Amino acid sequence: MVDLIEEPKQKKRRKATLADVKPSFLTVEMDDIDDDGEQIVIEFKMRVLSYFRFNEIGKMVIDPSPVPMGVDGNKRPIFDTNSADFRNKLNDAANERSILRLAESLIEPEIPGDTLQDKSAWMKENMPTAIVSQLIMAMGSTLTRGEARIKSRADSFQ
């Protein structure tokens, strides 16, 4: 008896071109239900942020400083990085970065506001949690050239 082992296919290789690193766009589709109870698909168009713009927006939000809880033997402060208050503020800062990045990334529908902060405030006040969460996850998947990026590229050839 002989076991046949199938060889894995080799991936094509080519050198990168500038077209491989040009700005790209992402279309995110979500199943939802409209006001009449009918199933619908809602569509969002997003710009994939460049590495530098992603980081630039991240710098707009400063992480909180932990509260000193004492000093060590050399009179240096010891900070309480495990306090619930500090952890909550750290989480709030991360959420603020995400919503600002989403405000920059979202092209359609156009979010009201003149600045990222205005758009962020509008989204916080008006957009359902499920939609914001899914859009942030889709945006995050593009950082690693995940499935959303691949689907977006595939759709561009149709």
Side-chain angles (χ1 to χ4, degrees), residues 61-84:
V61 179
I62 306 299
D63 279 339
S65 298
V67 176
M69 57 186 249
V71 293
D72 66 10
N74 295 322
K75 308 261 189 226
R76 292 180 297 204
I78 299 172
F79 296 101
D80 185 4
T81 57
N82 292 317
S83 77

Side-chain angles (χ1 to χ4, degrees), residues 65-120:
S65 298
V67 176
M69 57 186 249
V71 293
D72 66 10
N74 295 322
K75 308 261 189 226
R76 292 180 297 204
I78 299 172
F79 296 101
D80 185 4
T81 57
N82 292 317
S83 77
D85 186 54
F86 173 71
R87 295 280 182 192
N88 286 334
K89 288 178 181 177
L90 202 57
N91 190 45
D92 289 345
N95 286 334
E96 185 64 22
R97 278 185 202 95
S98 292
I99 201 81
L100 287 170
R101 288 171 175 147
L102 182 57
E104 176 79 1
S105 179
L106 200 54
I107 297 170
E108 290 176 7
E110 186 175 343
I111 302 299
D114 295 328
T115 67
L116 287 181
Q117 290 77 9
D118 291 344
K119 291 178 181 192
S120 168

Side-chain angles (χ1 to χ4, degrees), residues 6 15 18 21 38 53 58 65 67 84 111 120 123 127 130:
E6 191 172 320
K15 292 188 183 233
L18 291 180
V21 295
E38 289 192 50
R53 184 63 179 149
S65 298
V67 176
I111 302 299
S120 168
M123 288 191 294
M127 289 179 74

